[in-house]
Amino acid sequence: MNTAAAFADYRSYPLISALTAVQPLADQVRVSWADGRVSPFHHPWLRDNCPCAQCVYTVTREQVLEIVDVPEDLVPAAVHIDASGCLCIDWQDGHASRFDPGWLRAHAYDDASRAERQAGKPKSRLWDNRLELPVFDYAELKSDPQVLLQWLLALRDTGLTQVRGVPTEPGTLAEVAKLISFIRQTNFGVLFNVQSKADADSNAYTAFNLPLHSDLPTRELQPGLQFLHCLVNDAEGGESIFVDGFAIADALRQEDPAAFRALCEIPVEFRNKDRHSDYRCLAPVIALDSLGQVSEVRMANFLRGPFDASVAQMPVLYGAYRRFIAMTREARFRLVRRLEPGQLWCFDNRRTLHARNAFDPASGARHFQGCYIDRDELLSRILVLQR
Amino acid sequence: MNTAAAFADYRSYPLISALTAVQPLADQVRVSWADGRVSPFHHPWLRDNCPCAQCVYTVTREQVLEIVDVPEDLVPAAVHIDASGCLCIDWQDGHASRFDPGWLRAHAYDDASRAERQAGKPKSRLWDNRLELPVFDYAELKSDPQVLLQWLLALRDTGLTQVRGVPTEPGTLAEVAKLISFIRQTNFGVLFNVQSKADADSNAYTAFNLPLHSDLPTRELQPGLQFLHCLVNDAEGGESIFVDGFAIADALRQEDPAAFRALCEIPVEFRNKDRHSDYRCLAPVIALDSLGQVSEVRMANFLRGPFDASVAQMPVLYGAYRRFIAMTREARFRLVRRLEPGQLWCFDNRRTLHARNAFDPASGARHFQGCYIDRDELLSRILVLQR
């Protein structure tokens, strides 16, 4: 078997530990590894994951077998470890499967193997106003894939970065975004211009201060990355403010667990509408992943609809919501910086809340351009650069 | 107060029932309606929803007040119903709020009002192979906003439609999509071509049969609407097959509740990769909304990674997964149709699973174009057309 060609996910699986023994049981095959670990593999799991060219189309590396294509009670006729250390299974219906030990170990689902994989997953680094801002140079991002990767990892794990040395020609942001992927279009366009205007369809397009918020909480999927590129900034005021929404959620969880729970459990409606659109999304302010870790914050007071909760929940929700907003105003969390022409912010819009101080449009021009890219694209780009 | 201008969501709120009495309590104001309903409104809820021009910027209709801007213990100094039937509150800090009774009733959160709103929400109409396919004419969709609205409601509630009379010029699909919104771009492009090709990066681009699946289960947000436009179909085979994933999930829930639960609770990895991308998404096959209704099905066997569940869960997961796939193969659920040039499918990709029979590329040309639009855009367009 040319194992490299058979791996369906373009990864390589180094040999962590050799297979030393294989024991057939009624519903599973139990293998032992040289380092003492024992991993059970149920029969349907093994048959389902057969990497042979009959089961996986070699051009697309996509599976053509569906597990219902084999009998539910299919069992091995014989199992053995071959001379190259692979697990070999001859099935009772005549099919043969052969598993690379590196691949098998990487997908073992005994408790130890699962815990190991879980521990190896990337973790968010929480921050407060003492954050040493990750800053990158545009020319280096363009020329050095390793610097590019460092930027993307900072976006994934810290959620706030600045890029400098970006030309102030309008539209340049599209070139920057392309370093990661295509842009996520919205009703505000592909690139949007942040300028004060008379017929504003969002408070973002006024000279008001904007409280800490995520963009487009009105969409089922909030944009993952937000870019804000400064072209001109001659106006007084308008400083950017950032807080780590995950750090605030974490602090709330410790300081007021009931308030934290309310924001995780009671959905809130966000909405955003103009003459041509009417978006509504009902979701909790804080979302947790399958392990109970905070995975998303959804917040924009100026885009929120009236709370719709039971009479019993309403005072709890208001208490929790007040508390959360009050925390976004605490100096300990707030990073305040003025963005200069040629600089851009790129941050995790589902984590890092952003705000803007009011500015005085009479004091000078102010023109930012912005765009969005989804988290899927960031994570994909990281995996490709890490290959 | 010019109430029409103050409504933040461009809706109108007819008077359902007049306010007849208002009773101030320690933490809330309790109003009575002419039809006998009684609705409590907590003080922070009322202050938060004050529609005056100081609290809501009239140009953007977005709130500028944040509830933390007022004291937590703010209470009314006086409450009354004015001559035009509005609820008026003079707050102890001097602010005054005035609520239109139509608006207030529409946002009341007593149990009866909430149950009424819930009952008024759109519901999915489940279908099987006896579905009378909703078919629309492209010329009518372009010229008649009421027909357009009917199409969009069919997409929302039935999740499968056909449009006929669409020119077979490549790229026409972009014009059709524009009737709803901009297109959601993916790594496969804005419009993608479904044709058999030698260097396929997906089984979709082969002549294989494709089992029933949703597109891009590998993304955190699966595309909401999928379009498939037939330009040329001279090849033998290649019939389209659809099943209502919600109907199958519903049948599974009744016929095998434990299997249903397993598919709701145990996340599965879907992945899709080529030389330039590597997408992964870990999510359950069946997603439920906050009321426990099936809101999404995520399924593409050929894009699924090895199951990673505990040793105890693995046999349960395989049993449930087999059962689900077996149900997608049952004739009772399957609608089979051949798409002809000038026709297009548009369906809810997160509900209606689609499949394709194998076709014989030697027997003739086959060329479809496809694209995606998210559910947010569909629902927004419906709300705008319904104004």
Side-chain angles (χ1 to χ4, degrees), chain B residues 295-363:
Chain B
S295 60
E296 177 167 34
V297 172
R298 191 181 283 268
M299 168 65 76
N301 189 69
F302 52 99
L303 300 175
R304 183 175 51 80
F307 284 156
D308 182 12
S310 71
V311 175
Q313 281 178 321
M314 195 59 80
V316 179
L317 178 56
Y318 265 107
Y321 188 76
R322 276 188 80 98
R323 180 72 187 265
F324 189 92
I325 296 205
M327 288 174 86
T328 67
R329 295 183 176 191
E330 288 179 31
R332 59 172 165 152
F333 292 116
R334 293 164 76 98
L335 188 98
V336 184
R337 296 285 161 86
R338 183 183 166 88
L339 200 66
E340 300 299 338
Q343 301 179 341
L344 68 78
W345 295 116
C346 183
F347 56 94
D348 182 342
N349 179 61
R350 300 166 67 185
R351 166 181 176 180
T352 301
L353 304 179
H354 64 294
R356 170 187 79 202
N357 283 331
F359 62 92
D360 176 6
S363 65

Side-chain angles (χ1 to χ4, degrees), chain A residues 192-231:
Chain A
F192 52 88
N193 290 293
V194 185
Q195 280 170 303
S196 155
K197 51 186 176 187
D199 63 337
D201 56 356
S202 159
N203 285 355
Y205 304 141
T206 66
F208 297 171
N209 79 301
L210 283 178
L212 283 156
H213 67 284
S214 52
D215 268 24
L216 307 199
T218 52
R219 306 306 199 277
E220 188 171 352
L221 183 74
Q222 296 186 106
L225 295 181
Q226 177 171 173
F227 295 74
L228 280 173
H229 177 209
C230 177
L231 306 179

Side-chain angles (χ1 to χ4, degrees), chain A residues 107-177:
Chain A
H107 295 88
Y109 53 93
D110 58 89
D111 291 347
S113 296
R114 297 188 78 213
E116 215 170 68
R117 275 199 297 278
Q118 201 52 56
K121 287 198 174 161
K123 279 171 197 57
S124 297
R125 283 191 297 270
L126 303 187
W127 49 268
D128 58 18
N129 63 3
R130 294 164 301 179
L131 172 69
E132 198 169 306
L133 187 67
V135 175
F136 297 86
D137 177 73
Y138 181 49
E140 285 182 49
L141 291 179
K142 280 196 296 187
S143 62
D144 186 340
Q146 281 312 307
V147 177
L148 179 60
L149 178 60
Q150 291 313 309
W151 179 40
L152 304 190
L153 292 173
L155 283 168
R156 185 189 68 184
D157 299 333
T158 303
L160 176 61
T161 68
Q162 191 178 85
V163 179
R164 294 180 183 168
V166 184
T168 55
E169 193 68 28
T172 304
L173 181 53
E175 299 302 312
V176 182

Side-chain angles (χ1 to χ4, degrees), chain A residues 8-11 13 27-28 40 42 44-45 48-49 57 59-72 103 107-111 114 117 121 182-187 198-204 206 208 211-212 218-221 267 271-280 282 290 296 301-311 313-315 318-319 321-323 325-326 329 350 375-377 379-380 383-384 387, chain B residues 8-11 13 27-28 40 42 44-45 48-49 57 59-72 103 107-111 114 117 121 182-187 198-204 206 208 211-212 218-221 267 271-280 282 290 296 301-311 313-315 318-319 321-323 325-326 329 350 375-377 379-380 383-384 387:
Chain A
D9 63 358
Y10 287 80
R11 289 193 161 180
Y13 293 99
D27 66 337
Q28 60 191 254
H42 291 87
W45 192 97
D48 187 26
N49 288 294
Y57 180 48
V59 174
T60 59
R61 304 193 184 184
E62 289 174 359
Q63 190 178 20
V64 286
L65 173 83
E66 285 188 295
I67 190 64
V68 263
D69 295 328
V70 302
E72 192 154 13
W103 182 90
H107 295 88
Y109 53 93
D110 58 89
D111 291 347
R114 297 188 78 213
R117 275 199 297 278
K121 287 198 174 161
F182 57 87
I183 292 170
R184 170 166 161 187
Q185 186 175 353
T186 73
N187 62 313
D199 63 337
D201 56 356
S202 159
N203 285 355
T206 66
F208 297 171
L212 283 156
T218 52
R219 306 306 199 277
E220 188 171 352
L221 183 74
R271 58 194 193 179
N272 170 236
K273 63 291 170 220
D274 63 15
R275 285 178 296 278
H276 308 294
S277 65
D278 192 331
Y279 296 100
R280 287 149 193 270
L282 186 71
S290 57
E296 176 166 35
N301 188 69
F302 52 98
L303 299 175
R304 183 174 52 79
F307 284 156
D308 182 10
S310 71
V311 175
Q313 282 178 321
M314 195 59 80
Y318 264 106
Y321 188 76
R322 277 189 79 99
R323 180 72 187 264
I325 295 205
R329 295 184 175 190
R350 299 166 67 185
R375 258 190 205 167
D376 286 333
E377 307 306 328
L379 299 179
S380 166
L383 289 176
V384 170
R387 272 179 194 162
Chain B
D9 63 357
Y10 287 81
R11 289 191 160 182
Y13 293 99
D27 66 337
Q28 61 190 253
H42 290 88
W45 191 97
D48 187 26
N49 288 295
Y57 181 48
V59 173
T60 60
R61 303 192 184 185
E62 288 173 1
Q63 189 178 21
V64 286
L65 172 84
E66 285 188 295
I67 190 64
V68 265
D69 294 328
V70 302
E72 192 154 13
W103 182 91
H107 295 88
Y109 53 91
D110 58 89
D111 291 347
R114 297 188 78 212
R117 275 199 296 279
K121 287 197 173 161
F182 56 87
I183 292 169
R184 170 166 161 186
Q185 186 175 355
T186 73
N187 63 313
D199 64 337
D201 55 356
S202 160
N203 285 356
T206 66
F208 296 171
L212 283 156
T218 54
R219 304 307 198 280
E220 188 172 352
L221 184 74
R271 55 195 195 180
N272 169 237
K273 63 288 168 220
D274 63 16
R275 287 177 297 278
H276 307 294
S277 65
D278 192 332
Y279 296 100
R280 288 150 192 271
L282 186 71
S290 56
E296 177 167 34
N301 189 69
F302 52 99
L303 300 175
R304 183 175 51 80
F307 284 156
D308 182 12
S310 71
V311 175
Q313 281 178 321
M314 195 59 80
Y318 265 107
Y321 188 76
R322 276 188 80 98
R323 180 72 187 265
I325 296 205
R329 295 183 176 191
R350 300 166 67 185
R375 259 191 205 168
D376 286 333
E377 307 306 329
L379 299 179
S380 166
L383 289 177
V384 170
R387 272 178 193 162

Side-chain angles (χ1 to χ4, degrees), chain B residues 151-152 155 176-181 225 227 373 377-378 381:
Chain B
W151 179 40
L152 304 189
L155 283 168
V176 182
K178 235 182 256 171
L179 294 172
I180 306 179
S181 88
L225 295 181
F227 295 74
I373 286 181
E377 307 306 329
L378 171 67
R381 191 80 174 98

